Amino acid sequence: MKWMRRTAQATLTFKENCGAISSLCYRGHQVLQPSETLFLLKFKNGIGVSGDDFGRCSDDGETISFDGCGKYPGLEVEISVRGEGDVFHFRLRRLVMPEELVLIGYELPVLNIPDDFLVLDPVSDGRLISPEKRFDTSRNYDISEYWGHYPGLCQVQFIAAFNDYGGVRFFAKDTKCLPKRIMAYGRENCSLHIEVNDCGMDSYQGDFDFEVSPFEGDWMEAARPYRDWVFSSGVLKVRERPEWVRKSPVFITYVVRGEGSLSDECNCFVPYINALPHLMKIAEETDSVILAMIMRWDARGAWTPVAQWPPVGGEKSFIELVEALHERGHLVGLYGSGLSWTNYVYSNGMSCPPPPNEWLALQEDGSQREWDFKPFRRSVSLCLSVEDVRKYIIDEVLRIASSGIDLFQLYDQDFGGQTPHCFSCAHEHSPAPGGWQIQYGRVLQESLMTALREKGLHTVLGGESAAAEAYLNALQVNDLRTAPIGFVPLYSYIFHEITSDYSGNQCHYYNFDAVKRPENLLYRIALGFACGAMLTVPMRKNGEIDWGAGAPWTMPAPPRTEFLAFVQKLNAMRRQYPQFLLEGRMMPLREKLLVQKHSLFLAKGGEYQAPCVLATNWQSAAGEQILFLVNWTNNEANVEYGEKHIAMPARSVLAL
């Protein structure tokens, strides 16, 4: 039917003058507002084109066609739209361009959501955005190299919006994992965007569908079809977990430069062996294998890639600690800093030699891509399509891994394994972003793993934030950034059964007033457990517990005994139930849950009402389900789960 598509329970209508979506009605509820355009095109010359730039728009019931563009005569667009089940499928069927245009991206369809909807945003492992927290415009995405990028800080090509009734899902069924931006902006008339970053000249057609579907339910129901597609589409290539993950090591994160604040001076943990008695004491108090995860060790200054080796304090000193921990059955890892090239170090004023010009990733205007990462460094991006760049990175990683470390977080600051855009016409790729980025990202990762094994090295690679689905095969243990406010465990819900992540370096300490509410650290460690992640204990001078990465050591230390006893309980539960907390699939709760709230004071003023008890339901490969309840507070907490009334002791965990 022209200007309308129907399924059994949903009706999608379009504006006849421009083809934009007019409404999506599902079971009597409007889940979309009128949009201004059906699509957006982005060209290398900086000019954008939308559906309302065309003089003619027609619909034959299967394809909506556009021609007569005022900006570019000869530009033609065809978009197929069909309904199936309760799902609507959109595809860029044909794009014809005049020769002066080079396509670098497109969006399809543009969806406007009702003003009261929450947005389920895949950024940084998953969060819910209330209407008052939305970005006003696209500016926050446009000025950031990371925000909204997939594969990157967004690990999935999915976004959704809903209220208490339900809402609308939106995802790209793209098994090639082309680079994209996943965006939501507008306090009013908020729009959802999936922008595909790909290059085309003369003509272009999409080879995958965008899926839009209404639903009833919460964020888990919003994400369920995407999870089903991920596991059935062949997009995932995943290897066996490292064997040491099955020991559920507790990660001990600490810096070897400065005392929380930025400094070029070594602290009490250099020589490296100085940390050993403190690490062993934490291992004893938590009754756990530990993995010492060291930060700010880089030779030239904290967080200064790519040439980081040898470590500050010397290679011999570091290897002494590695060997001592291995002799005792424990593990060691290092934080990397990504794949950019440092050209200036702020902490010591060091200027570094530039890379060869042909290694550089270039912007649209031909300038190098620069990143001012204050207060640590200035750096430039490297293009992974250049073979010598990949060889250089592999050689550097082999030097670091030869120390015997178990984990190297190579992609720290390159969230999810993200590779930079490059517009160079001299490299072996199209002169714009595209699938080549994922191709060469995977080539580098596979080459790294091959090189490590050929040298007899067992080092596992990882990154900051969980690995995007395109890179799960290589990045096996990652820094799951569990945001303590506005967070939902979207990444764990989709991927937990095939991933092995840990709770990061607890850098979200800065959200809270630690003096007024020191129990915020208990809350953050409980969040990691609830997500199915391995646990993290931050450490500072004299083996004290720290609040998190970057916290000044002048702050009073957290209460040690109660915190480590809580970690011991949680990790014992992880080891007891690996079929759920290591290999299980997160599922919706089977009964209604009612819990009390606990007020945590925020560093910038105000309070956050956190649930006293965190609850997650897991299903094993055998189909058995179990519910884990965690009372992280220092008081007894009452829970109602269905008809069960449970009084949970302070700092306790329960399996039902």
Side-chain angles (χ1 to χ4, degrees):
M1 185 178 297
K2 293 182 179 180
W3 307 115
M4 181 182 295
R5 304 292 187 272
R6 284 182 172 172
T7 65
Q9 301 183 81
T11 301
L12 178 68
T13 59
F14 301 89
K15 299 177 183 178
E16 295 186 20
N17 62 326
C18 66
I21 290 174
S22 178
S23 68
L24 175 56
C25 183
Y26 178 62
R27 296 180 178 177
H29 292 265
Q30 291 290 344
V31 297
L32 287 179
Q33 295 192 101
S35 299
E36 295 181 0
T37 183
L38 181 60
F39 65 89
L40 294 167
L41 303 176
K42 189 175 180 181
F43 296 105
K44 193 174 181 180
N45 62 8
I47 303 297
V49 172
S50 64
D52 56 4
D53 289 321
F54 291 81
R56 291 180 294 274
C57 176
S58 63
D59 179 20
D60 63 9
E62 295 182 356
T63 303
I64 301 178
S65 303
F66 301 80
D67 63 9
C69 179
K71 294 180 180 178
Y72 297 105
L75 184 64
E76 299 178 7
V77 181
E78 293 181 358
I79 295 168
S80 64
V81 187
R82 61 185 174 87
E84 184 179 19
D86 275 323
V87 177
F88 297 94
H89 301 268
F90 295 77
R91 181 179 293 210
L92 181 56
R93 183 173 176 179
R94 188 174 73 101
L95 171 62
V96 178
M97 295 166 278
E99 64 178 30
E100 70 266 25
L101 292 182
V102 176
L103 179 75
I104 62 173
Y106 71 94
E107 297 182 31
L108 170 71
V110 176
L111 305 180
N112 276 31
I113 60 173
D115 290 340
D116 67 333
F117 274 24
L118 295 171
V119 173
L120 174 57
D121 190 340
V123 73
S124 195
D125 311 334
R127 63 177 190 155
L128 291 178
I129 307 174
S130 58
E132 69 275 9
K133 297 293 185 181
R134 297 174 189 153
F135 295 141
D136 288 320
T137 68
S138 65
R139 181 179 182 275
N140 293 75
Y141 298 101
D142 296 335
I143 65 175
S144 171
E145 290 286 315
Y146 298 96
W147 205 254
H149 283 266
Y150 164 92
L153 194 56
C154 292
Q155 296 94 1
V156 293
Q157 43 194 331
F158 161 87
I159 193 167
F162 61 97
N163 59 13
D164 291 341
Y165 165 78
V168 62
R169 315 175 180 100
F170 181 24
F171 70 90
K173 303 178 75 171
D174 174 17
T175 57
K176 294 180 181 178
C177 304
L178 292 177
K180 299 174 181 69
R181 292 198 302 170
I182 317 294
M183 303 177 285
Y185 51 84
R187 297 285 178 92
E188 296 178 354
N189 296 316
C190 178
S191 50
L192 307 182
H193 302 257
I194 297 181
E195 176 189 278
V196 179
N197 300 132
D198 200 13
C199 184
M201 292 174 278
D202 298 326
S203 65
Y204 181 92
Q205 68 179 52
D207 59 0
F208 61 88
D209 285 354
F210 298 89
E211 186 171 292
V212 175
S213 61
F215 70 95
E216 293 179 353
D218 62 4
W219 70 266
M220 283 192 180
E221 177 56 25
R224 179 189 53 77
Y226 187 81
R227 180 168 71 178
D228 293 344
W229 174 78
V230 161
F231 281 89
S232 64
S233 64
V235 68
L236 295 177
K237 296 175 177 62
V238 182
R239 64 185 65 218
E240 286 293 316
R241 289 180 171 89
E243 191 59 34
W244 54 260
V245 167
R246 300 188 179 279
K247 300 176 183 178
S248 189
V250 172
F251 283 60
I252 314 298
T253 56
Y254 63 98
V255 300
V256 294
R257 270 195 176 98
E259 297 193 346
S261 58
L262 181 63
S263 171
D264 218 41
E265 298 298 320
C266 295
N267 61 30
C268 60
F269 296 124
V270 178
Y272 287 87
I273 201 68
N274 290 356
L276 185 63
H278 306 303
L279 295 168
M280 291 302 93
K281 187 165 175 43
I282 293 175
E284 179 183 354
E285 291 178 85
T286 59
D287 189 26
S288 299
V289 171
I290 60 103
L291 190 152
M293 195 68 181
I294 301 169
M295 298 175 283
R296 301 190 183 183
W297 54 271
D298 323 43
R300 297 172 300 184
W303 313 113
T304 53
V306 170
Q308 299 168 280
W309 203 253
V312 63
E315 183 176 16
K316 183 177 179 180
S317 173
F318 178 71
I319 291 176
E320 183 183 9
L321 175 65
V322 173
E323 292 177 345
L325 285 168
H326 284 170
E327 287 171 3
R328 291 161 175 79
H330 299 290
L331 305 154
V332 189
L334 290 173
Y335 273 78
S337 300
L339 306 181
S340 66
W341 181 286
T342 299
N343 52 23
Y344 182 78
V345 182
Y346 280 108
S347 61
N348 52 33
M350 180 189 298
S351 295
C352 307
N357 285 336
E358 59 269 22
W359 290 19
L360 294 170
L362 302 183
Q363 303 191 86
E364 292 98 319
D365 62 2
S367 62
Q368 61 188 17
R369 303 186 73 86
E370 296 180 320
W371 185 22
D372 193 357
F373 187 39
K374 291 180 178 178
F376 303 110
R377 67 167 189 267
R378 293 198 300 266
S379 59
V380 293
S381 297
L382 304 177
C383 181
L384 296 187
S385 75
V386 180
E387 185 175 6
D388 284 346
V389 169
R390 300 195 303 273
K391 286 180 178 178
Y392 185 87
I393 293 168
I394 291 168
D395 288 344
E396 184 66 19
V397 170
L398 289 175
R399 292 175 67 205
I400 294 168
S402 65
S403 65
I405 58 173
D406 302 279
L407 174 63
F408 183 40
Q409 194 158 302
L410 172 64
Y411 287 88
D412 201 85
Q413 296 146 46
D414 288 352
F415 301 101
Q418 180 179 341
T419 57
H421 293 343
C422 180
F423 292 84
S424 172
C425 295
H427 294 165
E428 294 184 2
H429 59 71
S430 58
W436 64 266
Q437 294 172 251
I438 287 51
Q439 173 193 342
Y440 286 112
R442 286 171 167 167
V443 166
L444 173 62
Q445 292 165 7
E446 294 295 329
S447 299
L448 278 166
M449 290 188 293
T450 298
L452 288 166
R453 302 308 170 247
E454 287 177 350
K455 294 288 186 180
L457 300 169
H458 61 267
T459 305
V460 173
L461 300 177
E464 181 173 357
S465 286
E469 61 196 4
Y471 303 130
L472 278 169
N473 189 46
L475 306 183
Q476 294 181 281
V477 178
N478 300 281
D479 179 344
L480 191 68
R481 287 300 167 107
T482 308
I485 298 173
F487 158 82
V488 291
L490 175 64
Y491 187 88
S492 297
Y493 174 78
I494 296 173
F495 296 115
H496 177 266
E497 63 202 86
I498 56 172
T499 57
S500 304
D501 298 319
Y502 71 103
S503 303
N505 58 16
Q506 297 293 350
C507 64
H508 289 289
Y509 80 90
Y510 60 79
N511 284 282
F512 300 102
D513 186 325
V515 174
K516 292 181 179 178
R517 283 290 186 263
E519 67 272 21
N520 80 82
L521 184 56
L522 297 171
Y523 170 59
R524 288 184 278 128
I525 199 76
L527 276 177
F529 175 86
C531 293
M534 292 177 281
L535 307 177
T536 299
V537 173
M539 183 178 76
R540 68 184 197 184
K541 62 181 179 180
N542 303 320
E544 294 176 338
I545 304 306
D546 201 359
W547 296 104
W553 288 8
T554 53
M555 294 173 63
R560 178 191 184 91
T561 301
E562 64 184 35
F563 177 70
L564 292 182
F566 188 46
V567 171
Q568 186 275 327
K569 290 178 185 177
L570 296 178
N571 209 37
M573 192 69 80
R574 281 186 53 82
R575 293 195 301 268
Q576 184 179 351
Y577 293 104
Q579 69 272 38
F580 301 105
L581 293 172
L582 176 61
E583 300 170 331
R585 170 174 283 201
M586 187 180 288
M587 302 294 288
L589 301 184
R590 291 164 288 174
E591 305 281 354
K592 185 176 181 180
L593 177 74
L594 295 175
V595 300
Q596 300 163 294
K597 298 285 188 178
H598 182 87
S599 179
L600 292 173
F601 292 104
L602 302 177
K604 294 182 179 180
E607 300 179 16
Y608 175 65
Q609 297 298 317
C612 295
V613 174
L614 303 177
T616 41
N617 188 38
W618 299 92
Q619 179 173 285
S620 69
E624 181 186 4
Q625 290 194 25
I626 193 168
L627 176 76
F628 292 95
L629 299 172
V630 185
N631 175 15
W632 54 271
T633 72
N634 291 316
N635 303 296
E636 181 180 281
N638 295 311
V639 179
E640 292 184 18
Y641 184 63
E643 296 184 356
K644 293 185 175 70
H645 298 267
I646 305 165
M648 293 192 67
R651 301 184 303 281
S652 65
V653 57
L654 179 65
L656 289 178

